[in-house]
PDB file of all heavy atoms in Angstrom:
ATOM      1  N   ASP A 455    -132.744 139.248  -5.233  1.00 64.00           N
ATOM      2  CA  ASP A 455    -132.413 138.813  -6.585  1.00 64.00           C
ATOM      3  C   ASP A 455    -132.532 137.278  -6.647  1.00 64.00           C
ATOM      4  O   ASP A 455    -131.572 136.568  -6.385  1.00 64.00           O
ATOM      5  CB  ASP A 455    -130.969 139.233  -6.892  1.00 64.00           C
ATOM      6  CG  ASP A 455    -130.566 138.903  -8.313  1.00 64.00           C
ATOM      7  OD1 ASP A 455    -131.426 138.574  -9.131  1.00 64.00           O
ATOM      8  OD2 ASP A 455    -129.382 139.030  -8.617  1.00 64.00           O
ATOM      9  N   PRO A 456    -133.741 136.762  -7.027  1.00 64.00           N
ATOM     10  CA  PRO A 456    -133.916 135.323  -7.020  1.00 64.00           C
ATOM     11  C   PRO A 456    -133.062 134.605  -8.078  1.00 64.00           C
ATOM     12  O   PRO A 456    -132.850 133.415  -7.958  1.00 64.00           O
ATOM     13  CB  PRO A 456    -135.408 135.156  -7.337  1.00 64.00           C
ATOM     14  CG  PRO A 456    -135.855 136.470  -7.846  1.00 64.00           C
ATOM     15  CD  PRO A 456    -134.906 137.523  -7.375  1.00 64.00           C
ATOM     16  N   SER A 457    -132.559 135.318  -9.075  1.00 65.00           N
ATOM     17  CA  SER A 457    -131.719 134.663 -10.084  1.00 65.00           C
ATOM     18  C   SER A 457    -130.256 134.671  -9.726  1.00 65.00           C
ATOM     19  O   SER A 457    -129.401 134.238 -10.507  1.00 65.00           O
ATOM     20  CB  SER A 457    -131.917 135.362 -11.419  1.00 65.00           C
ATOM     21  OG  SER A 457    -131.453 136.682 -11.378  1.00 65.00           O
ATOM     22  N   ALA A 458    -129.911 135.126  -8.518  1.00 65.00           N
ATOM     23  CA  ALA A 458    -128.515 135.168  -8.084  1.00 65.00           C
ATOM     24  C   ALA A 458    -127.942 133.769  -7.983  1.00 65.00           C
ATOM     25  O   ALA A 458    -128.583 132.857  -7.467  1.00 65.00           O
ATOM     26  CB  ALA A 458    -128.369 135.889  -6.742  1.00 65.00           C
ATOM     27  N   THR A 459    -126.740 133.593  -8.479  1.00 71.00           N
ATOM     28  CA  THR A 459    -126.133 132.274  -8.477  1.00 71.00           C
ATOM     29  C   THR A 459    -125.184 132.064  -7.286  1.00 71.00           C
ATOM     30  O   THR A 459    -124.734 130.952  -7.069  1.00 71.00           O
ATOM     31  CB  THR A 459    -125.352 132.044  -9.784  1.00 71.00           C
ATOM     32  OG1 THR A 459    -124.398 133.099  -9.932  1.00 71.00           O
ATOM     33  CG2 THR A 459    -126.307 132.046 -10.959  1.00 71.00           C
ATOM     34  N   LEU A 460    -124.858 133.108  -6.570  1.00 78.00           N
ATOM     35  CA  LEU A 460    -123.974 132.995  -5.416  1.00 78.00           C
ATOM     36  C   LEU A 460    -124.739 132.598  -4.169  1.00 78.00           C
ATOM     37  O   LEU A 460    -125.763 133.204  -3.877  1.00 78.00           O
ATOM     38  CB  LEU A 460    -123.271 134.335  -5.168  1.00 78.00           C
ATOM     39  CG  LEU A 460    -122.281 134.813  -6.216  1.00 78.00           C
ATOM     40  CD1 LEU A 460    -121.879 136.237  -5.923  1.00 78.00           C
ATOM     41  CD2 LEU A 460    -121.078 133.923  -6.246  1.00 78.00           C
ATOM     42  N   ASN A 461    -124.245 131.625  -3.442  1.00 83.00           N
ATOM     43  CA  ASN A 461    -124.872 131.294  -2.162  1.00 83.00           C
ATOM     44  C   ASN A 461    -124.355 132.256  -1.101  1.00 83.00           C
ATOM     45  O   ASN A 461    -123.399 133.005  -1.340  1.00 83.00           O
ATOM     46  CB  ASN A 461    -124.621 129.816  -1.788  1.00 83.00           C
ATOM     47  CG  ASN A 461    -123.139 129.511  -1.589  1.00 83.00           C
ATOM     48  OD1 ASN A 461    -122.353 130.409  -1.287  1.00 83.00           O
ATOM     49  ND2 ASN A 461    -122.779 128.262  -1.743  1.00 83.00           N
ATOM     50  N   PRO A 462    -125.004 132.349   0.060  1.00 83.00           N
ATOM     51  CA  PRO A 462    -124.612 133.318   1.078  1.00 83.00           C
ATOM     52  C   PRO A 462    -123.129 133.225   1.498  1.00 83.00           C
ATOM     53  O   PRO A 462    -122.470 134.234   1.686  1.00 83.00           O
ATOM     54  CB  PRO A 462    -125.522 133.023   2.258  1.00 83.00           C
ATOM     55  CG  PRO A 462    -126.731 132.467   1.634  1.00 83.00           C
ATOM     56  CD  PRO A 462    -126.243 131.658   0.452  1.00 83.00           C
ATOM     57  N   THR A 463    -122.577 131.993   1.593  1.00 84.00           N
ATOM     58  CA  THR A 463    -121.177 131.856   1.974  1.00 84.00           C
ATOM     59  C   THR A 463    -120.266 132.447   0.921  1.00 84.00           C
ATOM     60  O   THR A 463    -119.333 133.207   1.252  1.00 84.00           O
ATOM     61  CB  THR A 463    -120.833 130.354   2.198  1.00 84.00           C
ATOM     62  OG1 THR A 463    -121.692 129.818   3.184  1.00 84.00           O
ATOM     63  CG2 THR A 463    -119.392 130.181   2.605  1.00 84.00           C
ATOM     64  N   ALA A 464    -120.527 132.146  -0.332  1.00 86.00           N
ATOM     65  CA  ALA A 464    -119.709 132.703  -1.417  1.00 86.00           C
ATOM     66  C   ALA A 464    -119.838 134.207  -1.470  1.00 86.00           C
ATOM     67  O   ALA A 464    -118.868 134.918  -1.714  1.00 86.00           O
ATOM     68  CB  ALA A 464    -120.101 132.085  -2.741  1.00 86.00           C
ATOM     69  N   LEU A 465    -121.036 134.712  -1.234  1.00 85.00           N
ATOM     70  CA  LEU A 465    -121.272 136.143  -1.273  1.00 85.00           C
ATOM     71  C   LEU A 465    -120.481 136.861  -0.169  1.00 85.00           C
ATOM     72  O   LEU A 465    -119.848 137.878  -0.396  1.00 85.00           O
ATOM     73  CB  LEU A 465    -122.742 136.417  -1.137  1.00 85.00           C
ATOM     74  CG  LEU A 465    -123.233 137.831  -1.279  1.00 85.00           C
ATOM     75  CD1 LEU A 465    -122.757 138.449  -2.584  1.00 85.00           C
ATOM     76  CD2 LEU A 465    -124.734 137.901  -1.158  1.00 85.00           C
ATOM     77  N   VAL A 466    -120.487 136.283   1.042  1.00 86.00           N
ATOM     78  CA  VAL A 466    -119.719 136.861   2.165  1.00 86.00           C
ATOM     79  C   VAL A 466    -118.218 136.818   1.848  1.00 86.00           C
ATOM     80  O   VAL A 466    -117.517 137.774   2.073  1.00 86.00           O
ATOM     81  CB  VAL A 466    -120.037 136.127   3.492  1.00 86.00           C
ATOM     82  CG1 VAL A 466    -119.070 136.539   4.569  1.00 86.00           C
ATOM     83  CG2 VAL A 466    -121.439 136.407   3.907  1.00 86.00           C
ATOM     84  N   ASN A 467    -117.773 135.724   1.303  1.00 86.00           N
ATOM     85  CA  ASN A 467    -116.319 135.600   0.972  1.00 86.00           C
ATOM     86  C   ASN A 467    -115.930 136.595  -0.111  1.00 86.00           C
ATOM     87  O   ASN A 467    -114.856 137.212  -0.016  1.00 86.00           O
ATOM     88  CB  ASN A 467    -116.000 134.185   0.548  1.00 86.00           C
ATOM     89  CG  ASN A 467    -116.077 133.216   1.693  1.00 86.00           C
ATOM     90  OD1 ASN A 467    -115.981 133.600   2.841  1.00 86.00           O
ATOM     91  ND2 ASN A 467    -116.301 131.957   1.393  1.00 86.00           N
ATOM     92  N   GLU A 468    -116.743 136.786  -1.130  1.00 86.00           N
ATOM     93  CA  GLU A 468    -116.452 137.753  -2.185  1.00 86.00           C
ATOM     94  C   GLU A 468    -116.437 139.183  -1.609  1.00 86.00           C
ATOM     95  O   GLU A 468    -115.606 139.993  -1.952  1.00 86.00           O
ATOM     96  CB  GLU A 468    -117.475 137.648  -3.326  1.00 86.00           C
ATOM     97  CG  GLU A 468    -117.323 136.420  -4.153  1.00 86.00           C
ATOM     98  CD  GLU A 468    -116.079 136.426  -5.010  1.00 86.00           C
ATOM     99  OE1 GLU A 468    -115.620 137.462  -5.463  1.00 86.00           O
ATOM    100  OE2 GLU A 468    -115.499 135.325  -5.180  1.00 86.00           O
ATOM    101  N   ALA A 469    -117.411 139.457  -0.745  1.00 84.00           N
ATOM    102  CA  ALA A 469    -117.443 140.784  -0.109  1.00 84.00           C
ATOM    103  C   ALA A 469    -116.215 141.004   0.744  1.00 84.00           C
ATOM    104  O   ALA A 469    -115.641 142.099   0.761  1.00 84.00           O
ATOM    105  CB  ALA A 469    -118.705 140.938   0.726  1.00 84.00           C
ATOM    106  N   TRP A 470    -115.776 139.971   1.475  1.00 82.00           N
ATOM    107  CA  TRP A 470    -114.576 140.088   2.292  1.00 82.00           C
ATOM    108  C   TRP A 470    -113.348 140.358   1.431  1.00 82.00           C
ATOM    109  O   TRP A 470    -112.523 141.179   1.791  1.00 82.00           O
ATOM    110  CB  TRP A 470    -114.335 138.853   3.153  1.00 82.00           C
ATOM    111  CG  TRP A 470    -113.040 138.925   3.874  1.00 82.00           C
ATOM    112  CD1 TRP A 470    -111.967 138.117   3.684  1.00 82.00           C
ATOM    113  CD2 TRP A 470    -112.652 139.864   4.852  1.00 82.00           C
ATOM    114  NE1 TRP A 470    -110.939 138.519   4.506  1.00 82.00           N
ATOM    115  CE2 TRP A 470    -111.336 139.573   5.231  1.00 82.00           C
ATOM    116  CE3 TRP A 470    -113.297 140.944   5.464  1.00 82.00           C
ATOM    117  CZ2 TRP A 470    -110.636 140.342   6.180  1.00 82.00           C
ATOM    118  CZ3 TRP A 470    -112.600 141.698   6.407  1.00 82.00           C
ATOM    119  CH2 TRP A 470    -111.291 141.366   6.752  1.00 82.00           C
ATOM    120  N   LEU A 471    -113.245 139.679   0.318  1.00 84.00           N
ATOM    121  CA  LEU A 471    -112.107 139.935  -0.597  1.00 84.00           C
ATOM    122  C   LEU A 471    -112.126 141.374  -1.071  1.00 84.00           C
ATOM    123  O   LEU A 471    -111.092 142.023  -1.179  1.00 84.00           O
ATOM    124  CB  LEU A 471    -112.156 138.988  -1.786  1.00 84.00           C
ATOM    125  CG  LEU A 471    -111.819 137.542  -1.483  1.00 84.00           C
ATOM    126  CD1 LEU A 471    -112.029 136.681  -2.718  1.00 84.00           C
ATOM    127  CD2 LEU A 471    -110.396 137.388  -0.974  1.00 84.00           C
ATOM    128  N   LYS A 472    -113.318 141.885  -1.342  1.00 82.00           N
ATOM    129  CA  LYS A 472    -113.448 143.251  -1.769  1.00 82.00           C
ATOM    130  C   LYS A 472    -113.071 144.223  -0.627  1.00 82.00           C
ATOM    131  O   LYS A 472    -112.391 145.218  -0.839  1.00 82.00           O
ATOM    132  CB  LYS A 472    -114.886 143.516  -2.201  1.00 82.00           C
ATOM    133  CG  LYS A 472    -115.160 144.775  -2.916  1.00 82.00           C
ATOM    134  CD  LYS A 472    -116.607 144.749  -3.389  1.00 82.00           C
ATOM    135  CE  LYS A 472    -116.957 145.980  -4.159  1.00 82.00           C
ATOM    136  NZ  LYS A 472    -116.405 146.034  -5.496  1.00 82.00           N
ATOM    137  N   LEU A 473    -113.508 143.887   0.581  1.00 80.00           N
ATOM    138  CA  LEU A 473    -113.229 144.763   1.729  1.00 80.00           C
ATOM    139  C   LEU A 473    -111.769 144.674   2.234  1.00 80.00           C
ATOM    140  O   LEU A 473    -111.271 145.608   2.805  1.00 80.00           O
ATOM    141  CB  LEU A 473    -114.159 144.399   2.909  1.00 80.00           C
ATOM    142  CG  LEU A 473    -115.586 144.875   2.784  1.00 80.00           C
ATOM    143  CD1 LEU A 473    -116.399 144.277   3.907  1.00 80.00           C
ATOM    144  CD2 LEU A 473    -115.687 146.337   2.752  1.00 80.00           C
ATOM    145  N   SER A 474    -111.161 143.542   2.026  1.00 77.00           N
ATOM    146  CA  SER A 474    -109.797 143.366   2.540  1.00 77.00           C
ATOM    147  C   SER A 474    -108.800 144.282   1.864  1.00 77.00           C
ATOM    148  O   SER A 474    -107.711 144.527   2.382  1.00 77.00           O
ATOM    149  CB  SER A 474    -109.349 141.900   2.404  1.00 77.00           C
ATOM    150  OG  SER A 474    -109.243 141.554   1.052  1.00 77.00           O
ATOM    151  N   GLU A 475    -109.179 144.829   0.702  1.00 78.00           N
ATOM    152  CA  GLU A 475    -108.275 145.742   0.010  1.00 78.00           C
ATOM    153  C   GLU A 475    -108.295 147.142   0.639  1.00 78.00           C
ATOM    154  O   GLU A 475    -107.433 147.958   0.361  1.00 78.00           O
ATOM    155  CB  GLU A 475    -108.693 145.859  -1.444  1.00 78.00           C
ATOM    156  CG  GLU A 475    -108.587 144.548  -2.205  1.00 78.00           C
ATOM    157  CD  GLU A 475    -109.222 144.609  -3.583  1.00 78.00           C
ATOM    158  OE1 GLU A 475    -109.768 145.657  -3.937  1.00 78.00           O
ATOM    159  OE2 GLU A 475    -109.191 143.574  -4.271  1.00 78.00           O
ATOM    160  N   THR A 476    -109.287 147.384   1.520  1.00 75.00           N
ATOM    161  CA  THR A 476    -109.412 148.664   2.172  1.00 75.00           C
ATOM    162  C   THR A 476    -108.543 148.685   3.417  1.00 75.00           C
ATOM    163  O   THR A 476    -108.698 147.833   4.286  1.00 75.00           O
ATOM    164  CB  THR A 476    -110.878 148.920   2.571  1.00 75.00           C
ATOM    165  OG1 THR A 476    -111.701 148.746   1.424  1.00 75.00           O
ATOM    166  CG2 THR A 476    -111.066 150.294   3.125  1.00 75.00           C
ATOM    167  N   PRO A 477    -107.594 149.638   3.516  1.00 72.00           N
ATOM    168  CA  PRO A 477    -106.651 149.631   4.637  1.00 72.00           C
ATOM    169  C   PRO A 477    -107.264 149.943   6.017  1.00 72.00           C
ATOM    170  O   PRO A 477    -106.756 149.522   7.012  1.00 72.00           O
ATOM    171  CB  PRO A 477    -105.614 150.675   4.255  1.00 72.00           C
ATOM    172  CG  PRO A 477    -106.292 151.534   3.253  1.00 72.00           C
ATOM    173  CD  PRO A 477    -107.319 150.699   2.589  1.00 72.00           C
ATOM    174  N   HIS A 478    -108.384 150.641   6.073  1.00 74.00           N
ATOM    175  CA  HIS A 478    -108.914 151.076   7.374  1.00 74.00           C
ATOM    176  C   HIS A 478    -110.058 150.192   7.879  1.00 74.00           C
ATOM    177  O   HIS A 478    -110.799 150.598   8.749  1.00 74.00           O
ATOM    178  CB  HIS A 478    -109.373 152.527   7.285  1.00 74.00           C
ATOM    179  CG  HIS A 478    -110.454 152.776   6.300  1.00 74.00           C
ATOM    180  ND1 HIS A 478    -110.202 152.912   4.961  1.00 74.00           N
ATOM    181  CD2 HIS A 478    -111.805 152.889   6.468  1.00 74.00           C
ATOM    182  CE1 HIS A 478    -111.346 153.105   4.336  1.00 74.00           C
ATOM    183  NE2 HIS A 478    -112.319 153.078   5.213  1.00 74.00           N
ATOM    184  N   VAL A 479    -110.203 148.994   7.355  1.00 67.00           N
ATOM    185  CA  VAL A 479    -111.243 148.077   7.810  1.00 67.00           C
ATOM    186  C   VAL A 479    -111.088 147.718   9.282  1.00 67.00           C
ATOM    187  O   VAL A 479    -112.064 147.621  10.012  1.00 67.00           O
ATOM    188  CB  VAL A 479    -111.268 146.786   6.941  1.00 67.00           C
ATOM    189  CG1 VAL A 479    -112.159 145.723   7.563  1.00 67.00           C
ATOM    190  CG2 VAL A 479    -111.714 147.093   5.550  1.00 67.00           C
ATOM    191  N   ALA A 480    -109.905 147.573   9.708  1.00 63.00           N
ATOM    192  CA  ALA A 480    -109.622 147.131  11.105  1.00 63.00           C
ATOM    193  C   ALA A 480    -110.098 148.178  12.128  1.00 63.00           C
ATOM    194  O   ALA A 480    -110.387 147.819  13.273  1.00 63.00           O
ATOM    195  CB  ALA A 480    -108.149 146.859  11.303  1.00 63.00           C
TER     196      ALA A 480
END
Side-chain angles (χ1 to χ4, degrees):
D455 185 12
S457 65
T459 55
L460 293 170
N461 63 23
T463 302
L465 186 55
V466 169
N467 290 338
E468 289 291 326
W470 173 246
L471 289 175
K472 190 174 183 76
L473 285 173
S474 66
E475 298 170 359
T476 306
H478 61 280
V479 169

